[in-house]
């Protein structure tokens, strides 16, 4: 988020990242600062909130716009409308004063919502060096630009987008019975009824999660392979995906 648009003011840019890799992200950015007079530091005095509407997405826009003066940043979530709004406040701010009548949930409520919608986030859902941008649906979430660069893997990503077919994608999955997260091995295999590999579980727990699945298999009966057992699961295509996509 760019906080100042005026040319007279020094630009302040807020970068959101997975808190578990804050130190490595900070170190990586400083590596490329070279001799520029740029200060890179964590904003420990700020709090980040996800504002998820109870009604249809967009219905809360008018009421939230009245709160803008009490916030550091208030903006629609850039990924997709179903994720509501991103709100950044001072640490000491009272959210109920900013959004009267709201309900403050916990982090698990937030994860359940995004897993239900098939929204990946952070290094567990998108492991560095493993997750491919197009398979992770980043092109659907304003996460890839095909008009500017450069970044590692740009040529392959652009070529696949324009000419290739994406055979696997991250999809929301639901188990037939709740599963504790600790009972699911990392990268657990997902099988078809005949025992053929259909993909791998990525993250989640209880009865919801996301998995990298072959699109050709998602309408078949599927099961998650865990130690000593197999658990049935179903995969769905999220409603927020572009309707015209053929890939």
């Amino acid at each position: 988020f760019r906080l100042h648009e005026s040319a007279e003011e020094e630009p302040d840019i807020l970068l959101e990242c997975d808190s578990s890799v804050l130190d490595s992200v900070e170190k990586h950015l400083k590596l490329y600062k070279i001799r520029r007079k740029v200060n890179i530091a964590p904003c420990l005095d700020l709090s980040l909130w996800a504002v998820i509407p109870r009604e249809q997405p967009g219905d809360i826009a008018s009421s939230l716009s009245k709160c803008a003066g009490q916030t550091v940043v208030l903006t629609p979530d850039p990924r997709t409308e179903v994720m509501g709004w991103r709100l950044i406040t001072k640490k000491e701010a009272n959210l109920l004063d900013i959004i009267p009548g709201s309900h403050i949930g916990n982090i698990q409520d937030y994860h359940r919502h995004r897993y239900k919608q098939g929204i990946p986030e952070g290094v567990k859902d998108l492991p560095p060096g493993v997750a491919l941008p197009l398979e992770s649906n980043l092109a659907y979430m304003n996460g890839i630009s095909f008009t500017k660069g450069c970044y590692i893997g740009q040529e392959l990503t652009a070529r696949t987008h324009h000419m290739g077919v994406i055979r696997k994608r991250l999809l929301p999955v639901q188990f037939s019975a709740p599963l504790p997260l600790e009972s699911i091995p990392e990268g657990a295999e997902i099988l078809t009824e005949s025992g053929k590999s259909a993909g791998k579980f990525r993250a989640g727990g209880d009865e919801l999660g996301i998995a990298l699945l072959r699109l050709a298999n998602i309408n078949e009966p599927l099961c998650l392979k865990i130690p000593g057992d197999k658990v049935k699961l179903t995969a769905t295509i999220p409603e927020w995906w572009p309707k015209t996509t053929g890939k």
Side-chain angles (χ1 to χ4, degrees):
F1 302 112
R2 187 183 177 93
L3 299 184
H4 304 299
E5 296 295 339
S6 170
E8 288 76 35
E9 295 180 275
E10 288 292 328
D12 287 331
I13 296 173
L14 285 177
L15 176 66
E16 181 185 338
C17 75
D18 187 327
S19 60
S20 68
V21 292
L22 176 60
D23 290 344
S24 58
V25 168
E26 187 178 355
K27 183 178 178 181
H28 182 78
L29 291 174
K30 286 180 177 179
L31 181 66
Y32 294 98
K33 187 178 73 170
I34 316 297
R35 294 184 178 86
R36 296 282 184 177
K37 293 181 179 180
V38 176
N39 181 43
I40 299 169
C43 298
L44 303 178
D45 60 329
L46 300 180
S47 292
L48 171 67
W49 300 88
V51 184
I52 308 297
R54 294 191 183 107
E55 312 87 25
Q56 291 297 315
D59 289 351
I60 60 170
S62 57
S63 59
L64 280 179
S65 63
K66 300 172 186 175
C67 315
Q70 305 175 61
T71 66
V72 177
V73 171
L74 176 61
T75 183
D77 193 304
R79 294 171 294 185
T80 171
E81 197 176 39
V82 297
M83 288 303 295
W85 292 59
R86 305 299 272 181
L87 169 65
I88 298 175
T89 67
K90 290 292 185 180
K91 206 82 172 182
E92 66 275 8
N94 185 339
L95 193 68
L96 296 178
D97 291 338
I98 298 174
I99 312 175
S102 59
H103 165 72
I104 300 179
N106 57 42
I107 190 66
Q108 293 309 317
D109 294 329
Y110 172 70
H111 289 320
R112 282 180 59 83
H113 176 75
R114 65 181 186 81
Y115 285 143
K116 191 173 182 180
Q117 301 295 340
I119 305 288
E121 182 180 290
V123 295
K124 187 170 181 61
D125 298 357
L126 302 166
V130 174
L132 297 179
L134 295 178
E135 291 184 348
S136 303
N137 308 317
L138 299 191
Y140 293 170
M141 296 187 288
N142 295 309
I144 304 174
S145 172
F146 295 103
T147 59
K148 62 182 180 181
C150 300
Y151 56 87
I152 294 172
Q154 180 188 22
E155 183 179 341
L156 175 61
T157 299
R159 187 168 67 243
T160 303
H161 174 71
H162 292 295
M163 302 180 63
V165 174
I166 298 146
R167 303 186 188 280
K168 295 184 290 184
R169 285 190 180 273
L170 273 183
L171 292 167
V173 295
Q174 183 164 359
F175 304 121
S176 57
L179 283 177
L181 179 58
E182 59 272 14
S183 70
I184 308 174
E186 187 173 338
E189 199 166 18
I190 295 174
L191 307 173
T192 64
E193 204 169 28
S194 63
K196 178 183 174 183
S197 176
K200 293 185 182 297
F201 183 75
R202 184 63 61 78
D206 240 356
E207 77 275 21
L208 297 172
I210 53 174
L212 184 66
L213 294 171
R214 291 183 176 83
L215 296 176
N217 299 127
I218 62 174
N219 293 321
E220 300 178 39
L222 300 173
C223 64
L224 177 71
K225 187 178 179 182
I226 59 176
D229 200 5
K230 291 180 182 178
V231 178
K232 292 182 180 179
L233 63 83
T234 54
T236 54
I237 299 291
E239 285 291 323
W240 57 269
W241 277 19
K243 304 300 179 190
T244 56
T245 182
K247 300 176 183 178

